[in-house]
Amino acid sequence: MVPLTAREHAALDRLEERERPLRRGGALVREKDIGGEMFVLREGTMMSSVLLDDGSRQILRFLFPGDLLGMSSLAYGEAPETLTALTDCMVAPFDRAAIANVVAEHPRLAALIMVYNQIERAALTDRLAALGRTSAKARVASILLEMRNRQRMVDPQLGSSFALRLTQEEIGDATGLTAVHVNRMLRQLEEEGLIAREAGRMTFINERGLAREANYIDRYVGLDLSWLPPAQ
Amino acid sequence: MVPLTAREHAALDRLEERERPLRRGGALVREKDIGGEMFVLREGTMMSSVLLDDGSRQILRFLFPGDLLGMSSLAYGEAPETLTALTDCMVAPFDRAAIANVVAEHPRLAALIMVYNQIERAALTDRLAALGRTSAKARVASILLEMRNRQRMVDPQLGSSFALRLTQEEIGDATGLTAVHVNRMLRQLEEEGLIAREAGRMTFINERGLAREANYIDRYVGLDLSWLPPAQ
DNA sequence: CGCATACTTGAGAGACGTCAAGCCGAGTGG
DNA sequence: CCACTCGGCTTGACGTCTCTCAAGTATGCG
């Protein structure tokens, strides 16, 4: 999005110099963990979630390569959310001192982290509005669009057919529904000719109609970075 | 929270040098507004909300003195949310160049803005989990606790009795409920001896029980700022 | 081949929404 | 001072969306 200087590139490379693999299903951070480590997701798909004390789970966000994980450590000693791998992943851990260094030495990178925070915030508020004010069908449709669009940022030639890689229970935990009802909503979307499914593969038959159903907004377009401070 | 240097104080004062009053009910920013102004809320209570295209509204967050408003301008050219005054307010506008200057000149203040973003993020994810996975009664209870705790940060001697200053419709728009159902939930909380109400005044009779009902977490405690870079 | 995990479908229940009516207090204008 | 309106609160009856429970069907894996 923004051409970086050699010094900025070097600073980012230092954040990512260590690598750590993570198995599908593995937890990178659990709620209330202490340690304050943060990560760059390099490969794979993850999710962040919270557990309520009746045992139910709310998935907050799906994470894709390039995302920053665990930034809540900047404010809290205990992790407020769990980070789990949906597929085999590679992450690059770094600590808060590394962020302190970036902020002190690379103001433009610090500003880009703030931009990242705002994009994530907008995505969270979109889901908040979806949970509060839209129907089950709309919420499921919006998860489908979100997963495809975010996968497409990693693989730009991804078309209208893709591997969702979520169980119906995970879709339910993201949308505030039960797995049973997610199933019914998927079938309805299928019967209405909006999507098709075969063996975990999802195909958008009528993407326009799906987006209309879902009220979906892509928060990775419409960015305006003209204000960034000069590189240093 | 953190003792600031004279230079840092001066930089913050520069952000707040202009002041602008706002009447109860007035809109400071509307969705899709262009302009990218941001604000510090100095006095009063505000809310941020989005409108869905069926006309329903979701309130995302309530805002209190000291809060930063409209930071989404850091990422977007168009405002993604509306900012409305719940009471008469005073705000201090600043522009993105001011943020660029803070980031370039005052790394520790930049880091504090990141901390602020993470606190806000945690509050949003709490509400997300509440909407997705808790009952109507729990959501209403959690709004009551949130409003009291945040008012108490402005006025530390505020006790268990306070002016809520929200209509039942506003509570509904924040919790994803109808005003009618909010009314029923308030009455239930009252009948269970958790709260009392008289003429817009709310009193917590059994705060412990209310917090248990609500699953409420105060996101302004448990902060860990030990990592901040040195002042410059 | 047996087991676990995920998906599918039906029937019935419950939480929350919709519609409608009435009430109350604060302005406001005659 | 009194009608009048208006926004907000309250309550009942009824409808519907989503959940729960339960059973059955793939699919993959040791």
Side-chain angles (χ1 to χ4, degrees):
Chain A
M1 317 190 279
V2 174
L4 300 179
T5 66
R7 273 193 74 233
E8 289 173 334
H9 264 301
L12 289 184
D13 289 346
R14 220 168 309 130
L15 280 189
E16 302 186 33
E17 67 192 357
R18 286 177 295 153
E19 285 207 329
R20 181 166 144 194
L22 189 64
R23 278 299 176 69
R24 170 180 156 78
L28 183 58
V29 173
R30 273 179 238 271
E31 275 174 81
K32 299 184 202 272
D33 271 2
I34 300 182
E37 238 182 350
M38 292 166 281
F39 309 85
V40 180
L41 180 53
R42 312 224 25 182
E43 286 168 34
T45 309
M46 298 187 63
M47 64 179 180
S48 88
S49 63
V50 292
L51 282 173
L52 284 77
D53 37 53
D54 67 350
S56 63
R57 176 177 70 169
Q58 176 67 46
I59 294 177
L60 303 170
R61 185 159 160 77
F62 295 107
L63 300 158
F64 292 85
D67 275 331
L68 299 175
L69 318 182
M71 297 295 279
S72 47
S73 306
L74 294 183
Y76 298 105
E78 288 186 3
E81 56 195 78
T82 298
L83 294 169
T84 314
L86 288 169
T87 66
D88 289 348
C89 288
M90 189 66 76
V91 300
F94 59 91
D95 60 19
R96 298 189 291 186
I99 287 287
N101 179 63
V102 165
V103 172
E105 301 289 328
H106 301 280
R108 200 168 63 160
L109 294 181
L112 284 171
I113 292 175
M114 291 185 188
V115 169
Y116 175 83
N117 287 337
Q118 292 305 323
I119 296 171
E120 190 175 42
R121 181 186 191 282
L124 284 172
T125 60
D126 287 342
R127 188 171 311 193
L128 189 56
L131 289 201
R133 290 299 188 206
T134 75
S135 70
K137 207 198 315 182
R139 289 182 239 167
V140 170
S142 110
I143 287 286
L144 300 182
L145 285 162
E146 180 185 341
M147 290 299 288
R148 201 283 308 265
N149 287 357
R150 296 213 59 202
Q151 284 186 34
R152 193 160 59 179
M153 295 195 69
V154 180
D155 172 13
Q157 53 251 34
L158 192 72
S160 63
S161 184
F162 65 106
L164 186 57
R165 283 203 218 84
L166 295 177
T167 65
Q168 296 180 356
E169 181 163 6
E170 285 160 348
I171 298 175
D173 285 345
T175 52
L177 301 168
T178 59
V180 172
H181 205 59
V182 168
N183 183 287
R184 287 192 248 262
M185 294 303 103
L186 286 171
R187 187 160 54 76
Q188 257 191 262
L189 291 172
E190 195 166 24
E191 281 168 4
E192 290 168 12
L194 298 175
I195 63 172
R197 295 178 293 160
E198 341 91 58
R201 233 186 143 63
M202 180 71 50
T203 304
F204 294 162
I205 305 293
N206 177 355
E207 183 170 340
R208 180 65 56 96
L210 200 61
R212 192 166 345 100
E213 185 83 55
N215 245 303
Y216 180 75
I217 304 169
D218 189 336
R219 290 305 185 181
Y220 289 83
V221 304
L223 297 181
D224 175 3
L225 306 183
S226 57
W227 64 279
L228 293 177
Q232 193 160 302
Chain B
M1 316 192 280
V2 174
L4 300 178
T5 65
R7 273 192 74 232
E8 288 173 336
H9 265 301
L12 289 185
D13 289 346
R14 220 168 307 131
L15 280 188
E16 301 186 34
E17 67 193 357
R18 287 176 296 154
E19 285 207 332
R20 182 166 143 193
L22 189 64
R23 278 299 177 68
R24 168 179 156 78
L28 182 59
V29 172
R30 274 179 237 271
E31 275 173 83
K32 299 183 201 269
D33 271 2
I34 299 180
E37 238 182 349
M38 292 165 281
F39 309 85
V40 180
L41 180 52
R42 314 230 14 190
E43 286 170 35
T45 310
M46 299 188 63
M47 64 178 180
S48 89
S49 62
V50 293
L51 282 174
L52 283 78
D53 37 52
D54 66 351
S56 63
R57 177 177 68 168
Q58 176 67 46
I59 294 178
L60 302 171
R61 186 161 160 77
F62 295 108
L63 300 157
F64 293 85
D67 276 330
L68 299 175
L69 317 183
M71 297 296 280
S72 47
S73 305
L74 294 184
Y76 299 105
E78 288 188 3
E81 57 195 76
T82 299
L83 294 169
T84 315
L86 289 169
T87 66
D88 289 350
C89 288
M90 189 66 76
V91 300
F94 59 90
D95 59 20
R96 298 188 291 187
I99 287 287
N101 179 63
V102 164
V103 172
E105 301 288 329
H106 301 280
R108 201 167 62 159
L109 294 180
L112 284 171
I113 292 175
M114 291 184 188
V115 169
Y116 175 84
N117 287 337
Q118 292 306 323
I119 295 171
E120 189 174 44
R121 181 186 190 281
L124 284 171
T125 61
D126 286 343
R127 183 161 322 174
L128 189 57
L131 289 198
R133 290 301 188 206
T134 74
S135 69
K137 207 198 315 180
R139 289 181 241 169
V140 171
S142 110
I143 287 286
L144 300 182
L145 285 161
E146 177 183 344
M147 290 299 286
R148 201 282 309 267
N149 287 356
R150 298 212 60 199
Q151 284 186 34
R152 192 158 62 179
M153 295 195 69
V154 180
D155 172 12
Q157 53 249 36
L158 193 72
S160 61
S161 184
F162 64 106
L164 186 59
R165 284 205 218 81
L166 294 177
T167 67
Q168 295 181 357
E169 182 163 4
E170 285 161 348
I171 298 175
D173 286 344
T175 52
L177 301 168
T178 59
V180 172
H181 205 61
V182 168
N183 182 288
R184 288 193 250 261
M185 295 302 103
L186 286 171
R187 188 161 53 76
Q188 259 191 261
L189 292 172
E190 195 166 25
E191 281 168 3
E192 290 168 12
L194 298 174
I195 63 172
R197 296 176 294 159
E198 343 89 61
R201 241 191 134 60
M202 182 69 53
T203 304
F204 295 162
I205 305 293
N206 177 356
E207 184 171 339
R208 180 67 55 96
L210 199 61
R212 193 167 344 102
E213 186 82 54
N215 246 305
Y216 180 74
I217 303 170
D218 188 335
R219 290 305 187 181
Y220 289 83
V221 303
L223 297 180
D224 174 3
L225 306 183
S226 57
W227 64 279
L228 293 178
Q232 194 159 300

